[in-house]
Amino acid sequence: MGTAGEHEPLQRAALTEALASGSDEALERLLSGAHPADLAEALDHLDDPGARLRLFTMLDATVASRVLRDASESARTFLLGALPDARLTAVLELLDTDDAADLVGGLSEERRGRLLQRTDAETRREVAELLTYAADTAGGIMKAEVPAVPLRTTARDVVEYLRRNAEKLHDVWDVFVVDGSHRVVGRVPLRRLVLAEDDQRVEEVMDPDVVAVRTDTDQEEVAHLFEKYDLATAPVTDSDGRLVGCITVDDVVDVIEEEATEDMLALAGVSGPAGETDGALRGVWSRLPWLALNLLTAAASAATVMLFEGTIQVVAIAAALMTIVASQGGNAGVQTMTLVVRGLALGELEPGQLWRVVRRELTIAAANGFVLGLICALVVFAWRHDAKLSGVIAAALLANYLVAALLGSLVPIALKLLRVDPAVSSSVFVTAGTDVAGFFIFLGLLTWVL
Amino acid sequence: MGTAGEHEPLQRAALTEALASGSDEALERLLSGAHPADLAEALDHLDDPGARLRLFTMLDATVASRVLRDASESARTFLLGALPDARLTAVLELLDTDDAADLVGGLSEERRGRLLQRTDAETRREVAELLTYAADTAGGIMKAEVPAVPLRTTARDVVEYLRRNAEKLHDVWDVFVVDGSHRVVGRVPLRRLVLAEDDQRVEEVMDPDVVAVRTDTDQEEVAHLFEKYDLATAPVTDSDGRLVGCITVDDVVDVIEEEATEDMLALAGVSGPAGETDGALRGVWSRLPWLALNLLTAAASAATVMLFEGTIQVVAIAAALMTIVASQGGNAGVQTMTLVVRGLALGELEPGQLWRVVRRELTIAAANGFVLGLICALVVFAWRHDAKLSGVIAAALLANYLVAALLGSLVPIALKLLRVDPAVSSSVFVTAGTDVAGFFIFLGLLTWVL
């Protein structure tokens, strides 16, 4: 955490104590100067609704608005339900428009309308506008407050503009330069503004090469652009190229974490935004569908095994060894699939590189299959002195690694080409494929050589 | 990508053509004004070493230094090998110290020493200093160029300071305020500097609540702090609290992507930084150890099956049905484990919340087990008219979901408490556990009721 002498994180234990003791002074002393992010965290850790509400109502309006923005979903839902409309309206007007839109976006249409009705006309118009964009697009994460000045503005006038709009533009790193039709033609990082002469016009100091996004650009693509070009702010334009908002890097950091979490959970068969803090019911709903689907594919694998019922009755050890072949194939498939899914998500891998990837994965599979197949065959031979069985398990392992390499690379790339998110659906196909193939190849070869 | 009229991405096809045609003019026209990040990407896609080198040597020194910084590891390794020392020295002096340290960090000690010997004294000292920190700590990602001014500096003098150091401090968002012992006592975001009166002292406009990190703070913790407090820059202090460097948010974006990728690959059993673009040999090494370990645990599962060889000879269908129980347990275990591992990595979950998590996961497992166990029992009964077999598979499924919930939550939290990265080692334990438990419970129950 912060080094001593600098940022002091809020002492949660002291806070709990102060809330329990009931003394307002002790509480006020703790809260004064506490960072909203620390307060939000403390609020998340309070289980007692009364204590939560008491803490929140003691905060001044500006701090309260940021605490509500930073709070976890469950704490936020609780507060939105418990707070009167008047208090929420004040919070909405103090938040940036993107955060205000996030906040009311989760409310019932009726309450949202009522709250927005009470806010000032500008907030109402801007928030309503932001709510029209899909949540996972640039429009859905941008704020309407964007610092923009005409081409011929002088540095002195830009400073004056920032001063006049200080309350709205409190988090500015770049000022955008627009032409007569409100199209972005340049960007002035604040450092250049600081170094400019008072009379210099922005067109002389601006960087004319601006990376902009459109309201319908996917948020994952927005994150790529920030990462690639090391952006602090990106202007957002409508379909006619007019500047309508901007995205700042702190929001992009959240997008990157969110997208990585979603992909990771999707690969594990957990759908939707069901975090560790949500209720058990939501946990069931986020996992049951995938388990049910896996039950279907597992039944297909079991049916494959049943094709060889006769062989298993004769060689019961086959029932044990076949699980090794399937398990190894599944693992190898998940390795390849995860590399490919992540490569596609980060833009490091393109579907056009398919054959290069497949060739590489098959090579790796052949090498691993040779080494591990040999080891496995030697162990089985030492144990059972059965050359046929040893040969079959080695051959089946190698073959299933190759199947795993093919499925692990082809499935996510094919899904990507079909515009399905590879993270969400690859696992089912890959592990079902390696299970069926593992059982079929091993038991089939064994039946054949017997 | 960029909207028309703004940032124009480099046309890769045109570039390849210009390189093939051999005309320098066409090439120069394409390269002039191209963004270094686009050039780096183009360089990565060139397979011909001659073309790569020709492209790179045509760039001016400043652009070349950024291209080398942004290039993929393989392109970078190639260029570092192909470029003469004099050219690399020039590049090093133009880069920020963190990027220069990254670049020489990958070289042999002998070449690194030779290159640093040629750079100016300041670069040499600073880069050598940065190389002493572990790569995954704040010291390993910070740059030595940090804008810092004493408490009593006026706004006008800060501007003068930034102007004097414009070449070194080209990427500044915050100016730090230090006391006589070079300890951080405040932060002046550039926006406040812009709005300050010329004669105002920084102590009047600074934010005294600065979130700082120490050189040995883990980079994952650094990323948490940036995310939590929406930072643009964090000052880095040594063990005595003196300011020695700073970290900017664009570097943190890379850390977040890198940590998420590492965790995702580790969960899938791919170790080390083996990306899709690396050679096949490295691919084998990054996966073979985990497959070998899985072979061992799969052998343990197979041995469990062999305990019930007699049962399988009598009821061969058991060999098919047992795979369903193991597969479902593995999937449910991976779901829980991934949620817990990600929650721990994001700091949303703390080991102290262990029992809350276990309770929740057991509840979900019981619900899923009841639904899916019932379905499975009905299907098996409809198919085989065997009440015992149906009852056994339902009970075994439910029990294995509960085992999966326990292992999926206990294993990562236990590893975290033992200071082992849960992402790297959880999968082995969880899936081995659900396999062994699945086979043992199903075959054991079946043997018992027969």
Side-chain angles (χ1 to χ4, degrees), chain A residues 38 163 169 191 195 229 257 261 269 278 287 294 328 331 335 342 346 360-361, chain B residues 38 163 169 191 195 229 257 261 269 278 287 294 328 331 335 342 346 360-361:
Chain A
D38 289 318
R163 187 167 290 138
L169 303 174
R191 180 178 153 275
L195 300 184
Y229 297 111
E257 296 254 325
T261 302
D278 296 313
R287 300 185 223 174
N294 188 68
Q328 288 291 91
N331 277 299
Q335 288 179 331
R342 186 64 179 156
L346 292 181
R360 176 168 175 276
E361 290 300 318
Chain B
D38 288 319
R163 188 168 287 138
L169 303 174
R191 180 178 153 275
L195 300 185
Y229 297 110
E257 295 254 333
T261 303
D278 297 312
R287 301 186 223 174
N294 187 67
Q328 289 292 90
N331 277 299
Q335 288 179 331
R342 187 63 179 158
L346 291 181
R360 177 168 174 276
E361 289 300 317

mmCIF file of all heavy atoms in Angstrom, chain A residues 38 163 169 191 195 229 257 261 269 278 287 294 328 331 335 342 346 360-361, chain B residues 38 163 169 191 195 229 257 261 269 278 287 294 328 331 335 342 346 360-361:
data_model
loop_
_atom_site.group_PDB
_atom_site.id
_atom_site.type_symbol
_atom_site.label_atom_id
_atom_site.label_comp_id
_atom_site.label_asym_id
_atom_site.label_seq_id
_atom_site.Cartn_x
_atom_site.Cartn_y
_atom_site.Cartn_z
ATOM 1 N N ASP A 38 -11.164 4.185 -0.866
ATOM 2 C CA ASP A 38 -11.038 3.444 0.386
ATOM 3 C C ASP A 38 -12.385 3.345 1.090
ATOM 4 O O ASP A 38 -12.722 2.318 1.676
ATOM 5 C CB ASP A 38 -10.032 4.138 1.315
ATOM 6 C CG ASP A 38 -8.605 3.996 0.812
ATOM 7 O OD1 ASP A 38 -8.264 2.891 0.357
ATOM 8 O OD2 ASP A 38 -7.851 4.984 0.868
ATOM 9 N N ARG A 163 -10.649 26.847 -17.139
ATOM 10 C CA ARG A 163 -10.988 27.440 -15.848
ATOM 11 C C ARG A 163 -12.516 27.594 -15.728
ATOM 12 O O ARG A 163 -13.098 27.283 -14.705
ATOM 13 C CB ARG A 163 -10.292 28.798 -15.705
ATOM 14 C CG ARG A 163 -10.439 29.414 -14.331
ATOM 15 C CD ARG A 163 -9.479 30.581 -14.117
ATOM 16 N NE ARG A 163 -8.088 30.129 -14.009
ATOM 17 C CZ ARG A 163 -7.046 30.730 -14.567
ATOM 18 N NH1 ARG A 163 -7.231 31.803 -15.317
ATOM 19 N NH2 ARG A 163 -5.828 30.268 -14.393
ATOM 20 N N LEU A 169 -14.835 19.640 -16.220
ATOM 21 C CA LEU A 169 -13.628 19.025 -16.798
ATOM 22 C C LEU A 169 -12.559 18.893 -15.722
ATOM 23 O O LEU A 169 -11.539 19.570 -15.758
ATOM 24 C CB LEU A 169 -13.113 19.883 -17.959
ATOM 25 C CG LEU A 169 -14.102 20.135 -19.095
ATOM 26 C CD1 LEU A 169 -13.517 21.115 -20.113
ATOM 27 C CD2 LEU A 169 -14.458 18.829 -19.796
ATOM 28 N N ARG A 191 0.732 18.899 -21.410
ATOM 29 C CA ARG A 191 2.130 19.288 -21.313
ATOM 30 C C ARG A 191 2.486 20.312 -22.404
ATOM 31 O O ARG A 191 3.220 21.261 -22.159
ATOM 32 C CB ARG A 191 2.999 18.040 -21.471
ATOM 33 C CG ARG A 191 4.467 18.325 -21.383
ATOM 34 C CD ARG A 191 5.265 17.038 -21.487
ATOM 35 N NE ARG A 191 6.563 17.330 -22.036
ATOM 36 C CZ ARG A 191 6.824 17.414 -23.328
ATOM 37 N NH1 ARG A 191 5.851 17.238 -24.200
ATOM 38 N NH2 ARG A 191 8.040 17.690 -23.749
ATOM 39 N N LEU A 195 3.644 24.367 -21.992
ATOM 40 C CA LEU A 195 4.869 24.919 -22.570
ATOM 41 C C LEU A 195 4.604 25.962 -23.664
ATOM 42 O O LEU A 195 5.513 26.655 -24.100
ATOM 43 C CB LEU A 195 5.743 23.795 -23.140
ATOM 44 C CG LEU A 195 6.195 22.722 -22.129
ATOM 45 C CD1 LEU A 195 7.133 21.729 -22.793
ATOM 46 C CD2 LEU A 195 6.881 23.368 -20.926
ATOM 47 N N TYR A 229 -1.242 2.516 -28.815
ATOM 48 C CA TYR A 229 -0.750 3.879 -29.040
ATOM 49 C C TYR A 229 -0.462 4.619 -27.738
ATOM 50 O O TYR A 229 -0.231 5.833 -27.762
ATOM 51 C CB TYR A 229 -1.763 4.660 -29.886
ATOM 52 C CG TYR A 229 -1.955 4.086 -31.278
ATOM 53 C CD1 TYR A 229 -3.143 3.474 -31.641
ATOM 54 C CD2 TYR A 229 -0.930 4.153 -32.221
ATOM 55 C CE1 TYR A 229 -3.321 2.939 -32.909
ATOM 56 C CE2 TYR A 229 -1.101 3.613 -33.492
ATOM 57 C CZ TYR A 229 -2.294 3.011 -33.828
ATOM 58 O OH TYR A 229 -2.446 2.483 -35.077
ATOM 59 N N GLU A 257 -9.497 -5.290 -17.473
ATOM 60 C CA GLU A 257 -9.682 -6.269 -16.395
ATOM 61 C C GLU A 257 -10.968 -7.061 -16.616
ATOM 62 O O GLU A 257 -11.010 -8.275 -16.448
ATOM 63 C CB GLU A 257 -9.774 -5.559 -15.038
ATOM 64 C CG GLU A 257 -8.513 -4.836 -14.647
ATOM 65 C CD GLU A 257 -7.753 -5.563 -13.550
ATOM 66 O OE1 GLU A 257 -8.411 -6.163 -12.692
ATOM 67 O OE2 GLU A 257 -6.520 -5.518 -13.550
ATOM 68 N N THR A 261 -11.320 -11.032 -17.324
ATOM 69 C CA THR A 261 -12.090 -11.859 -16.387
ATOM 70 C C THR A 261 -13.167 -12.629 -17.131
ATOM 71 O O THR A 261 -13.339 -13.835 -16.928
ATOM 72 C CB THR A 261 -12.747 -10.979 -15.315
ATOM 73 O OG1 THR A 261 -11.719 -10.248 -14.647
ATOM 74 C CG2 THR A 261 -13.500 -11.814 -14.301
ATOM 75 N N GLY A 269 -16.243 -22.164 -18.308
ATOM 76 C CA GLY A 269 -17.653 -22.536 -18.317
ATOM 77 C C GLY A 269 -18.481 -21.813 -17.280
ATOM 78 O O GLY A 269 -19.381 -22.377 -16.684
ATOM 79 N N ASP A 278 -21.504 -12.403 -5.758
ATOM 80 C CA ASP A 278 -22.927 -12.486 -6.036
ATOM 81 C C ASP A 278 -23.568 -13.642 -5.284
ATOM 82 O O ASP A 278 -22.898 -14.489 -4.729
ATOM 83 C CB ASP A 278 -23.152 -12.641 -7.536
ATOM 84 C CG ASP A 278 -22.667 -11.431 -8.283
ATOM 85 O OD1 ASP A 278 -23.002 -10.323 -7.850
ATOM 86 O OD2 ASP A 278 -21.937 -11.597 -9.264
ATOM 87 N N ARG A 287 -23.650 -21.356 -14.075
ATOM 88 C CA ARG A 287 -22.860 -22.563 -14.321
ATOM 89 C C ARG A 287 -23.670 -23.746 -14.803
ATOM 90 O O ARG A 287 -23.175 -24.585 -15.532
ATOM 91 C CB ARG A 287 -22.132 -22.956 -13.033
ATOM 92 C CG ARG A 287 -21.222 -21.835 -12.599
ATOM 93 C CD ARG A 287 -20.418 -22.227 -11.427
ATOM 94 N NE ARG A 287 -20.369 -21.157 -10.449
ATOM 95 C CZ ARG A 287 -19.816 -21.275 -9.273
ATOM 96 N NH1 ARG A 287 -19.299 -22.427 -8.900
ATOM 97 N NH2 ARG A 287 -19.785 -20.257 -8.446
ATOM 98 N N ASN A 294 -22.164 -30.039 -20.851
ATOM 99 C CA ASN A 294 -21.072 -30.986 -20.677
ATOM 100 C C ASN A 294 -21.598 -32.380 -20.365
ATOM 101 O O ASN A 294 -20.987 -33.380 -20.729
ATOM 102 C CB ASN A 294 -20.146 -30.519 -19.561
ATOM 103 C CG ASN A 294 -18.899 -31.371 -19.466
ATOM 104 O OD1 ASN A 294 -18.059 -31.340 -20.355
ATOM 105 N ND2 ASN A 294 -18.796 -32.169 -18.408
ATOM 106 N N GLN A 328 -5.257 -36.864 -20.960
ATOM 107 C CA GLN A 328 -4.104 -36.182 -21.557
ATOM 108 C C GLN A 328 -4.527 -35.371 -22.779
ATOM 109 O O GLN A 328 -4.062 -34.254 -22.971
ATOM 110 C CB GLN A 328 -3.038 -37.199 -21.962
ATOM 111 C CG GLN A 328 -2.314 -37.824 -20.785
ATOM 112 C CD GLN A 328 -1.425 -36.827 -20.057
ATOM 113 O OE1 GLN A 328 -1.863 -36.171 -19.116
ATOM 114 N NE2 GLN A 328 -0.193 -36.699 -20.478
ATOM 115 N N ASN A 331 -6.219 -32.170 -21.620
ATOM 116 C CA ASN A 331 -5.266 -31.174 -21.136
ATOM 117 C C ASN A 331 -4.499 -30.505 -22.261
ATOM 118 O O ASN A 331 -4.340 -29.287 -22.273
ATOM 119 C CB ASN A 331 -4.291 -31.831 -20.162
ATOM 120 C CG ASN A 331 -4.869 -31.920 -18.772
ATOM 121 O OD1 ASN A 331 -5.170 -30.905 -18.169
ATOM 122 N ND2 ASN A 331 -5.067 -33.122 -18.284
ATOM 123 N N GLN A 335 -4.591 -26.511 -23.387
ATOM 124 C CA GLN A 335 -3.373 -25.693 -23.523
ATOM 125 C C GLN A 335 -3.394 -24.926 -24.842
ATOM 126 O O GLN A 335 -3.260 -23.698 -24.875
ATOM 127 C CB GLN A 335 -2.126 -26.591 -23.487
ATOM 128 C CG GLN A 335 -1.814 -27.175 -22.105
ATOM 129 C CD GLN A 335 -0.578 -28.074 -22.117
ATOM 130 O OE1 GLN A 335 -0.260 -28.689 -23.129
ATOM 131 N NE2 GLN A 335 0.118 -28.142 -21.001
ATOM 132 N N ARG A 342 -6.507 -16.532 -26.213
ATOM 133 C CA ARG A 342 -5.894 -15.324 -25.664
ATOM 134 C C ARG A 342 -5.201 -14.525 -26.769
ATOM 135 O O ARG A 342 -5.276 -13.309 -26.799
ATOM 136 C CB ARG A 342 -4.900 -15.706 -24.566
ATOM 137 C CG ARG A 342 -4.307 -14.526 -23.808
ATOM 138 C CD ARG A 342 -5.356 -13.762 -23.050
ATOM 139 N NE ARG A 342 -4.784 -12.650 -22.294
ATOM 140 C CZ ARG A 342 -5.472 -11.567 -21.916
ATOM 141 N NH1 ARG A 342 -6.746 -11.458 -22.218
ATOM 142 N NH2 ARG A 342 -4.902 -10.602 -21.231
ATOM 143 N N LEU A 346 -6.129 -10.664 -27.689
ATOM 144 C CA LEU A 346 -5.145 -9.581 -27.607
ATOM 145 C C LEU A 346 -4.797 -9.032 -28.980
ATOM 146 O O LEU A 346 -4.035 -8.075 -29.087
ATOM 147 C CB LEU A 346 -3.867 -10.066 -26.916
ATOM 148 C CG LEU A 346 -3.976 -10.390 -25.429
ATOM 149 C CD1 LEU A 346 -2.624 -10.838 -24.891
ATOM 150 C CD2 LEU A 346 -4.455 -9.163 -24.650
ATOM 151 N N ARG A 360 2.473 -25.399 -36.174
ATOM 152 C CA ARG A 360 3.257 -25.307 -34.952
ATOM 153 C C ARG A 360 2.684 -26.212 -33.860
ATOM 154 O O ARG A 360 3.413 -26.939 -33.189
ATOM 155 C CB ARG A 360 3.255 -23.844 -34.494
ATOM 156 C CG ARG A 360 3.957 -23.600 -33.189
ATOM 157 C CD ARG A 360 4.158 -22.121 -32.956
ATOM 158 N NE ARG A 360 4.726 -21.902 -31.648
ATOM 159 C CZ ARG A 360 4.014 -21.836 -30.536
ATOM 160 N NH1 ARG A 360 2.704 -21.951 -30.587
ATOM 161 N NH2 ARG A 360 4.606 -21.660 -29.380
ATOM 162 N N GLU A 361 1.365 -26.186 -33.704
ATOM 163 C CA GLU A 361 0.742 -26.983 -32.649
ATOM 164 C C GLU A 361 0.897 -28.477 -32.909
ATOM 165 O O GLU A 361 1.099 -29.258 -31.983
ATOM 166 C CB GLU A 361 -0.740 -26.603 -32.511
ATOM 167 C CG GLU A 361 -0.965 -25.214 -31.929
ATOM 168 C CD GLU A 361 -0.367 -25.070 -30.528
ATOM 169 O OE1 GLU A 361 -0.508 -26.003 -29.725
ATOM 170 O OE2 GLU A 361 0.261 -24.033 -30.265
ATOM 171 N N ASP B 38 2.501 1.516 -35.436
ATOM 172 C CA ASP B 38 2.112 0.863 -36.687
ATOM 173 C C ASP B 38 3.334 0.276 -37.391
ATOM 174 O O ASP B 38 3.274 -0.806 -37.961
ATOM 175 C CB ASP B 38 1.424 1.871 -37.623
ATOM 176 C CG ASP B 38 0.037 2.237 -37.125
ATOM 177 O OD1 ASP B 38 -0.676 1.341 -36.666
ATOM 178 O OD2 ASP B 38 -0.326 3.427 -37.195
ATOM 179 N N ARG B 163 10.178 22.960 -19.321
ATOM 180 C CA ARG B 163 10.708 23.374 -20.617
ATOM 181 C C ARG B 163 12.178 22.965 -20.738
ATOM 182 O O ARG B 163 12.607 22.460 -21.758
ATOM 183 C CB ARG B 163 10.540 24.892 -20.772
ATOM 184 C CG ARG B 163 10.879 25.396 -22.152
ATOM 185 C CD ARG B 163 10.431 26.829 -22.360
ATOM 186 N NE ARG B 163 8.983 26.927 -22.506
ATOM 187 C CZ ARG B 163 8.216 27.866 -21.936
ATOM 188 N NH1 ARG B 163 8.775 28.804 -21.186
ATOM 189 N NH2 ARG B 163 6.919 27.876 -22.122
ATOM 190 N N LEU B 169 11.475 14.720 -20.166
ATOM 191 C CA LEU B 169 10.127 14.590 -19.592
ATOM 192 C C LEU B 169 9.082 14.838 -20.671
ATOM 193 O O LEU B 169 8.380 15.842 -20.648
ATOM 194 C CB LEU B 169 9.952 15.582 -18.440
ATOM 195 C CG LEU B 169 10.970 15.455 -17.299
ATOM 196 C CD1 LEU B 169 10.784 16.577 -16.288
ATOM 197 C CD2 LEU B 169 10.830 14.105 -16.615
ATOM 198 N N ARG B 191 -3.297 19.665 -15.005
ATOM 199 C CA ARG B 191 -4.466 20.528 -15.101
ATOM 200 C C ARG B 191 -4.435 21.622 -14.031
ATOM 201 O O ARG B 191 -4.763 22.782 -14.291
ATOM 202 C CB ARG B 191 -5.725 19.686 -14.949
ATOM 203 C CG ARG B 191 -6.996 20.479 -15.029
ATOM 204 C CD ARG B 191 -8.211 19.594 -14.928
ATOM 205 N NE ARG B 191 -9.316 20.351 -14.372
ATOM 206 C CZ ARG B 191 -9.533 20.517 -13.084
ATOM 207 N NH1 ARG B 191 -8.700 19.989 -12.204
ATOM 208 N NH2 ARG B 191 -10.563 21.223 -12.662
ATOM 209 N N LEU B 195 -4.042 25.816 -14.484
ATOM 210 C CA LEU B 195 -4.982 26.780 -13.908
ATOM 211 C C LEU B 195 -4.358 27.653 -12.822
ATOM 212 O O LEU B 195 -4.964 28.637 -12.398
ATOM 213 C CB LEU B 195 -6.198 26.047 -13.335
ATOM 214 C CG LEU B 195 -7.022 25.218 -14.339
ATOM 215 C CD1 LEU B 195 -8.260 24.645 -13.665
ATOM 216 C CD2 LEU B 195 -7.428 26.068 -15.544
ATOM 217 N N TYR B 229 -7.342 3.726 -7.480
ATOM 218 C CA TYR B 229 -7.312 5.174 -7.272
ATOM 219 C C TYR B 229 -7.311 5.966 -8.583
ATOM 220 O O TYR B 229 -7.088 7.175 -8.569
ATOM 221 C CB TYR B 229 -6.088 5.554 -6.432
ATOM 222 C CG TYR B 229 -6.116 4.954 -5.036
ATOM 223 C CD1 TYR B 229 -5.234 3.942 -4.673
ATOM 224 C CD2 TYR B 229 -7.040 5.393 -4.092
ATOM 225 C CE1 TYR B 229 -5.271 3.382 -3.399
ATOM 226 C CE2 TYR B 229 -7.082 4.835 -2.816
ATOM 227 C CZ TYR B 229 -6.200 3.832 -2.480
ATOM 228 O OH TYR B 229 -6.244 3.282 -1.235
ATOM 229 N N GLU B 257 -2.473 -6.604 -18.764
ATOM 230 C CA GLU B 257 -2.653 -7.589 -19.831
ATOM 231 C C GLU B 257 -1.736 -8.788 -19.611
ATOM 232 O O GLU B 257 -2.133 -9.938 -19.775
ATOM 233 C CB GLU B 257 -2.313 -6.965 -21.196
ATOM 234 C CG GLU B 257 -3.237 -5.852 -21.605
ATOM 235 C CD GLU B 257 -4.205 -6.283 -22.700
ATOM 236 O OE1 GLU B 257 -3.855 -7.183 -23.455
ATOM 237 O OE2 GLU B 257 -5.306 -5.721 -22.781
ATOM 238 N N THR B 261 -2.853 -12.618 -18.888
ATOM 239 C CA THR B 261 -2.441 -13.673 -19.816
ATOM 240 C C THR B 261 -1.712 -14.774 -19.073
ATOM 241 O O THR B 261 -1.974 -15.963 -19.269
ATOM 242 C CB THR B 261 -1.513 -13.089 -20.906
ATOM 243 O OG1 THR B 261 -2.196 -12.042 -21.574
ATOM 244 C CG2 THR B 261 -1.122 -14.147 -21.913
ATOM 245 N N GLY B 269 -2.272 -24.767 -17.837
ATOM 246 C CA GLY B 269 -1.093 -25.620 -17.836
ATOM 247 C C GLY B 269 -0.066 -25.249 -18.886
ATOM 248 O O GLY B 269 0.567 -26.106 -19.476
ATOM 249 N N ASP B 278 6.142 -17.652 -30.456
ATOM 250 C CA ASP B 278 7.440 -18.242 -30.184
ATOM 251 C C ASP B 278 7.610 -19.557 -30.924
ATOM 252 O O ASP B 278 6.671 -20.111 -31.471
ATOM 253 C CB ASP B 278 7.605 -18.471 -28.689
ATOM 254 C CG ASP B 278 7.580 -17.157 -27.934
ATOM 255 O OD1 ASP B 278 8.297 -16.244 -28.368
ATOM 256 O OD2 ASP B 278 6.843 -17.061 -26.954
ATOM 257 N N ARG B 287 4.909 -26.734 -22.071
ATOM 258 C CA ARG B 287 3.735 -27.569 -21.823
ATOM 259 C C ARG B 287 4.060 -28.967 -21.338
ATOM 260 O O ARG B 287 3.289 -29.571 -20.622
ATOM 261 C CB ARG B 287 2.912 -27.673 -23.108
ATOM 262 C CG ARG B 287 2.484 -26.297 -23.557
ATOM 263 C CD ARG B 287 1.565 -26.370 -24.719
ATOM 264 N NE ARG B 287 1.919 -25.371 -25.705
ATOM 265 C CZ ARG B 287 1.340 -25.278 -26.887
ATOM 266 N NH1 ARG B 287 0.411 -26.146 -27.226
ATOM 267 N NH2 ARG B 287 1.705 -24.354 -27.727
ATOM 268 N N ASN B 294 0.382 -34.242 -15.267
ATOM 269 C CA ASN B 294 -0.979 -34.729 -15.432
ATOM 270 C C ASN B 294 -0.994 -36.228 -15.739
ATOM 271 O O ASN B 294 -1.923 -36.937 -15.354
ATOM 272 C CB ASN B 294 -1.672 -33.960 -16.560
ATOM 273 C CG ASN B 294 -3.139 -34.308 -16.651
ATOM 274 O OD1 ASN B 294 -3.905 -33.992 -15.766
ATOM 275 N ND2 ASN B 294 -3.508 -35.019 -17.715
ATOM 276 N N GLN B 328 -17.845 -34.464 -15.140
ATOM 277 C CA GLN B 328 -18.670 -33.413 -14.550
ATOM 278 C C GLN B 328 -17.986 -32.795 -13.325
ATOM 279 O O GLN B 328 -18.013 -31.589 -13.127
ATOM 280 C CB GLN B 328 -20.040 -33.973 -14.138
ATOM 281 C CG GLN B 328 -20.935 -34.304 -15.310
ATOM 282 C CD GLN B 328 -21.395 -33.071 -16.062
ATOM 283 O OE1 GLN B 328 -20.749 -32.618 -16.995
ATOM 284 N NE2 GLN B 328 -22.500 -32.493 -15.647
ATOM 285 N N ASN B 331 -15.250 -30.440 -14.505
ATOM 286 C CA ASN B 331 -15.777 -29.168 -15.005
ATOM 287 C C ASN B 331 -16.249 -28.262 -13.874
ATOM 288 O O ASN B 331 -15.958 -27.069 -13.862
ATOM 289 C CB ASN B 331 -16.927 -29.429 -15.966
ATOM 290 C CG ASN B 331 -16.423 -29.731 -17.356
ATOM 291 O OD1 ASN B 331 -15.765 -28.895 -17.955
ATOM 292 N ND2 ASN B 331 -16.660 -30.918 -17.833
ATOM 293 N N GLN B 335 -14.716 -24.572 -12.752
ATOM 294 C CA GLN B 335 -15.555 -23.366 -12.626
ATOM 295 C C GLN B 335 -15.258 -22.648 -11.307
ATOM 296 O O GLN B 335 -14.937 -21.451 -11.284
ATOM 297 C CB GLN B 335 -17.039 -23.753 -12.661
ATOM 298 C CG GLN B 335 -17.542 -24.184 -14.031
ATOM 299 C CD GLN B 335 -19.020 -24.593 -14.014
ATOM 300 O OE1 GLN B 335 -19.533 -25.062 -13.010
ATOM 301 N NE2 GLN B 335 -19.696 -24.410 -15.128
ATOM 302 N N ARG B 342 -9.314 -15.928 -9.977
ATOM 303 C CA ARG B 342 -9.452 -14.583 -10.530
ATOM 304 C C ARG B 342 -9.804 -13.592 -9.438
ATOM 305 O O ARG B 342 -9.305 -12.483 -9.408
ATOM 306 C CB ARG B 342 -10.525 -14.596 -11.629
ATOM 307 C CG ARG B 342 -10.651 -13.290 -12.401
ATOM 308 C CD ARG B 342 -9.398 -12.962 -13.162
ATOM 309 N NE ARG B 342 -9.538 -11.715 -13.906
ATOM 310 C CZ ARG B 342 -8.516 -10.977 -14.307
ATOM 311 N NH1 ARG B 342 -7.281 -11.353 -14.059
ATOM 312 N NH2 ARG B 342 -8.699 -9.858 -14.988
ATOM 313 N N LEU B 346 -7.548 -10.323 -8.548
ATOM 314 C CA LEU B 346 -8.077 -8.960 -8.642
ATOM 315 C C LEU B 346 -8.201 -8.310 -7.277
ATOM 316 O O LEU B 346 -8.544 -7.138 -7.177
ATOM 317 C CB LEU B 346 -9.445 -8.960 -9.324
ATOM 318 C CG LEU B 346 -9.475 -9.300 -10.814
ATOM 319 C CD1 LEU B 346 -10.891 -9.240 -11.333
ATOM 320 C CD2 LEU B 346 -8.585 -8.333 -11.596
ATOM 321 N N ARG B 360 -20.886 -20.901 0.020
ATOM 322 C CA ARG B 360 -21.587 -20.538 -1.205
ATOM 323 C C ARG B 360 -21.372 -21.597 -2.281
ATOM 324 O O ARG B 360 -22.315 -22.016 -2.953
ATOM 325 C CB ARG B 360 -21.062 -19.181 -1.674
ATOM 326 C CG ARG B 360 -21.641 -18.709 -2.974
ATOM 327 C CD ARG B 360 -21.302 -17.258 -3.226
ATOM 328 N NE ARG B 360 -21.756 -16.863 -4.537
ATOM 329 C CZ ARG B 360 -21.071 -17.063 -5.661
ATOM 330 N NH1 ARG B 360 -19.886 -17.626 -5.613
ATOM 331 N NH2 ARG B 360 -21.557 -16.683 -6.814
ATOM 332 N N GLU B 361 -20.140 -22.057 -2.444
ATOM 333 C CA GLU B 361 -19.848 -23.029 -3.498
ATOM 334 C C GLU B 361 -20.529 -24.361 -3.222
ATOM 335 O O GLU B 361 -21.002 -25.028 -4.143
ATOM 336 C CB GLU B 361 -18.333 -23.211 -3.632
ATOM 337 C CG GLU B 361 -17.627 -21.993 -4.233
ATOM 338 C CD GLU B 361 -18.148 -21.662 -5.625
ATOM 339 O OE1 GLU B 361 -18.354 -22.580 -6.423
ATOM 340 O OE2 GLU B 361 -18.375 -20.460 -5.897
#
